[in-house]
């Protein structure tokens, strides 16, 4: 069975307006490339601040990574706080927690302000371990998260239908419908003068005091500033390129009787990562959503990964195996060498191009946080205290250099292999691997994805494959 469109795409109402492809040259104060959560939230805030904003989206709004997440909006990001405390200091962990908690508050406030029913549910979030070795790490994480200011405790009772050795519990986190939320955001953006063009792929970007973006079809957009919110940046300076790597994650979901569904949101880094939440349905049921099986794009064996994930869900959750249908989808995440996002100026010499990337699987809260920071950059408003923590121009810690070197060696191997096989990515020439479940060609180096006919599904590539 091939993966479907995500539940979020199928269950959200259609946009209130049509956003046609760009058919003429334009000029704007700011061009935002990418209409996911980071791009649309940034564009909305800029439009409300009086900037003339144009959003260019290669596909459909809220249909890329944001439209294929699990919809968790939480400040508990696996085991990140102990890592931050150890590598960057206790202050860095606190700043990161503040950024995430502020993002949760922003989403709640925006939904109330705009009258958006994004199916927000306040639930506890858990990161758990099944064995004693993992339990020690989890208990340490609970202490680090609490020291960073989160309402975190170490527990053993999680509400899951199977026992765990230990878990971090953080109270009052959110799960929501990301596409419903963004449809409300884009309506408000347009109401404040913003322009949105779907089906408009940017192919070239030239920076200067007058930035120029060229789109498929040849039209040009001029702007004073550009925000690249395209997941993996369309243009990426070497200093940033070396920090980024890709992981693809699978999702299976099925309607289950509510009595069989655990109350919270759950994650374990064990067993190839397993993430669990549920979403409301009619008739006393909830959609149980299970994600995991993270892998490098292009590495193959995706059908088996889906089968393994579905078998795990059937084994542990009563009712999943008896569900009338199982829905499948997948999302791709950009990770950084130090585990922190990159939000701000693209590289040390740039003045007018900004990026928002490297969210590492936590793009919903980090995307909203990025909007706050980028708006401050572009309007001159006071910047958050965590600005330098996520600055793309920050120095790479020495301890992260071996990992970066190893990843770049892998990129080099894929490039050389691409020269031999002839099936090469049009971005930088790396070899492509075939995804047998989604019937796509995927680049392990920088995450470009192509349909079986060679058309571009996901950048940074902008040109189709040769026949």
């Amino acid at each position: 069975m091939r993966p479907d469109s995500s539940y979020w795409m199928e269950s959200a109402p259609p946009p209130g307006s049509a956003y046609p492809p760009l058919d003429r040259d334009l000029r704007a104060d700011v061009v935002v490339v990418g209409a996911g959560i980071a791009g649309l939230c940034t564009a909305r805030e800029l439009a409300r601040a009086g900037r003339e904003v144009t959003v260019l989206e290669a596909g459909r709004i809220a249909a890329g990574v944001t439209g294929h997440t699990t919809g968790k909006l939480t400040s508990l990001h696996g085991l990140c706080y102990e890592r931050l405390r150890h590598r960057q200091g206790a202050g860095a962990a606190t700043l990161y927690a503040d950024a995430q908690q502020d993002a949760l508050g922003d989403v709640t406030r925006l939904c109330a302000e705009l009258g958006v029913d994004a199916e927000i549910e306040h639930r506890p979030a858990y990161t758990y371990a099944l064995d004693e070795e993992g339990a020690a790490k989890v208990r340490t994480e609970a202490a680090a998260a609490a020291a960073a200011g989160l309402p975190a405790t170490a527990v053993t009772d999680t509400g899951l239908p199977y026992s765990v050795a230990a878990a971090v519990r953080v109270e009052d986190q959110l799960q929501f419908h990301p596409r419903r939320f963004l449809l409300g955001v884009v309506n408000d953006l347009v109401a404040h003068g913003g322009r949105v063009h779907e089906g408009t792929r940017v192919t070239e970007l030239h920076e200067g005091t007058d930035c120029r973006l060229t789109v498929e079809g040849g039209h040009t957009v001029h702007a004073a500033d550009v925000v690249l919110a395209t997941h993996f940046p369309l243009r990426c300076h070497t200093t940033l390129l070396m920090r980024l790597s890709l992981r693809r994650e699978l999702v299976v979901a099925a309607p289950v009787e509510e009595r069989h569904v655990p109350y919270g949101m759950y994650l374990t880094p064990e067993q190839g990562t397993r993430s669990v939440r549920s979403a409301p349905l009619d008739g006393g049921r909830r959609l149980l959503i299970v994600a995991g099986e993270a892998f490098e794009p292009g590495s193959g064996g995706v059908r088996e990964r889906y089968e393994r994930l579905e078998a795990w869900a059937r084994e542990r959750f009563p009712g999943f195996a008896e569900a009338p249908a199982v829905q499948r989808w997948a999302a791709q995440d950009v990770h950084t060498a130090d585990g922190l996002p990159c939000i701000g100026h693209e590289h040390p010499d740039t003045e007018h191009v900004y990026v928002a990337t490297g969210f590492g699987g936590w793009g919903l809260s980090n995307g909203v946080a990025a909007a706050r920071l980028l708006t401050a950059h572009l309007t001159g408003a006071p910047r958050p205290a965590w600005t330098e923590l996520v600055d793309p121009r920050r120095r790479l810690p020495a301890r992260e250099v071996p990992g970066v070197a190893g990843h770049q060696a892998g990129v080099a191997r894929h490039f050389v292999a691409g020269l031999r096989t002839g099936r090469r990515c049009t971005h930088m020439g790396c070899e492509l691997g075939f995804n047998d479940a989604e019937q796509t060609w995927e680049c392990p180096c920088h995450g470009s994805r192509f349909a079986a006919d060679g058309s571009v599904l996901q950048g940074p590539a902008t040109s189709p494959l040769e026949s």
Side-chain angles (χ1 to χ4, degrees):
M1 181 174 65
R2 288 186 62 178
D4 311 303
S5 174
S6 77
Y7 170 75
W8 315 121
M9 297 299 298
E10 293 183 355
S11 60
S17 304
Y19 305 109
L22 185 67
D23 60 0
R24 64 191 187 282
D25 293 350
L26 281 182
R27 184 173 294 276
D29 294 334
V30 182
V31 169
V32 176
V33 185
I37 194 164
L40 288 178
C41 287
T42 300
R44 175 195 171 273
E45 291 199 30
L46 289 169
R48 281 192 160 234
R51 297 300 189 272
E52 187 179 19
V53 183
T54 295
V55 178
L56 304 178
E57 166 57 46
R60 298 165 58 196
I61 60 171
V65 177
T66 301
H68 290 79
T69 66
T70 56
K72 289 181 176 181
L73 192 63
T74 173
S75 300
L76 183 60
H77 297 173
L79 301 174
C80 77
Y81 290 100
E82 171 58 19
R83 183 190 71 240
L84 276 172
R85 185 200 66 78
H86 177 69
R87 297 181 180 182
Q88 308 272 356
T94 300
L95 289 173
Y96 187 78
D98 289 346
Q100 308 311 310
Q101 289 288 87
D102 286 347
L104 270 63
D106 286 345
V107 169
T108 303
R109 175 183 54 79
L110 267 177
C111 287
E113 180 183 319
L114 302 179
V116 175
D117 179 10
E119 299 179 357
I120 287 180
E121 296 179 308
H122 293 256
R123 299 290 169 95
Y126 298 87
T127 297
Y128 67 89
L130 297 171
D131 58 37
E132 192 51 42
E133 180 181 355
K137 296 178 181 178
V138 162
R139 287 189 284 267
T140 301
E141 178 69 11
L150 296 181
T153 54
V155 300
T156 55
D157 183 9
T158 63
L160 286 167
Y162 50 89
S163 61
V164 306
V168 187
R169 173 180 170 130
V170 174
E171 305 294 340
D172 200 27
Q173 303 297 284
L174 306 180
Q175 54 187 26
F176 77 143
H177 194 304
R179 183 165 165 81
R180 284 181 180 269
F181 169 69
L182 284 187
L183 292 178
V185 169
V186 75
N187 287 341
D188 192 61
L189 162 65
V190 172
H192 285 83
R195 291 183 294 233
V196 179
H197 294 282
E198 295 180 310
T200 303
R201 184 179 300 278
V202 176
T203 58
E204 294 182 43
L205 167 59
H206 300 278
E207 184 189 2
T209 53
D210 176 27
C211 295
R212 291 179 291 112
L213 300 96
T214 304
V215 305
E216 283 181 341
H219 295 294
T220 301
V221 182
H222 295 262
D225 295 289
V226 175
V227 172
L228 299 178
T230 54
H231 195 51
F232 203 101
L234 165 74
R235 187 187 85 170
C236 198
H237 191 271
T238 303
T239 56
L240 178 58
L241 184 72
M242 292 179 62
R243 297 171 182 257
L244 305 181
S245 60
L246 280 299
R247 302 293 286 174
R248 193 158 182 81
E249 191 167 79
L250 308 181
V251 183
V252 295
V256 175
E257 289 185 27
E258 190 164 6
R259 62 192 177 92
H260 290 316
V261 176
Y263 182 75
M265 298 178 284
Y266 306 90
L267 175 77
T268 178
E270 299 173 3
Q271 301 177 314
T273 306
R274 294 291 184 262
S275 170
V276 177
R277 67 153 287 192
S278 66
L281 297 173
D282 296 330
R285 301 176 305 159
R286 292 184 69 86
L287 187 73
L288 189 62
I289 303 170
V290 179
E293 293 294 319
F295 63 98
E296 182 184 80
S299 58
V302 182
R303 284 185 182 177
E304 288 79 5
R305 297 176 197 275
Y306 268 117
E307 291 168 2
R308 193 158 54 237
L309 185 63
E310 192 171 326
W312 184 91
R314 286 197 306 268
E315 180 182 339
R316 286 160 178 79
F317 295 97
F320 198 98
E322 290 76 29
V326 175
Q327 194 169 3
R328 296 177 170 187
W329 69 87
Q332 195 157 287
D333 295 302
V334 179
H335 294 255
T336 63
D338 60 4
L340 289 167
C342 291
I343 307 167
H345 289 92
E346 183 209 0
H347 64 89
D349 298 324
T350 192
E351 294 183 30
H352 302 285
V353 177
Y354 300 82
V355 296
T357 188
F359 298 151
W362 303 104
L364 296 180
S365 59
N366 275 312
V368 174
R372 175 179 290 205
L373 175 53
L374 293 171
T375 300
H377 272 297
L378 290 162
T379 63
R383 299 174 191 172
W386 41 271
T387 298
E388 293 185 6
L389 186 68
V390 299
D391 192 328
R393 302 168 297 183
R394 64 185 180 268
R395 292 184 62 185
L396 186 68
R399 64 174 62 89
E400 310 297 345
V401 171
V404 170
H407 173 66
Q408 292 306 311
V411 170
R413 287 194 299 272
H414 288 303
F415 177 79
V416 172
L419 293 175
R420 291 198 307 265
T421 64
R423 178 55 90 182
R424 305 176 63 193
C425 179
T426 58
H427 174 232
M428 294 183 70
C430 288
E431 70 170 335
L432 298 174
F434 192 67
N435 181 326
D436 58 354
E438 299 176 80
Q439 299 292 293
T440 54
W441 292 98
E442 300 175 345
C443 175
C445 297
H446 309 114
S448 298
R449 300 177 65 241
F450 304 85
D453 65 1
S455 58
V456 179
L457 295 175
Q458 186 170 342
T462 60
S463 301
L465 300 177
E466 294 183 3
S467 300

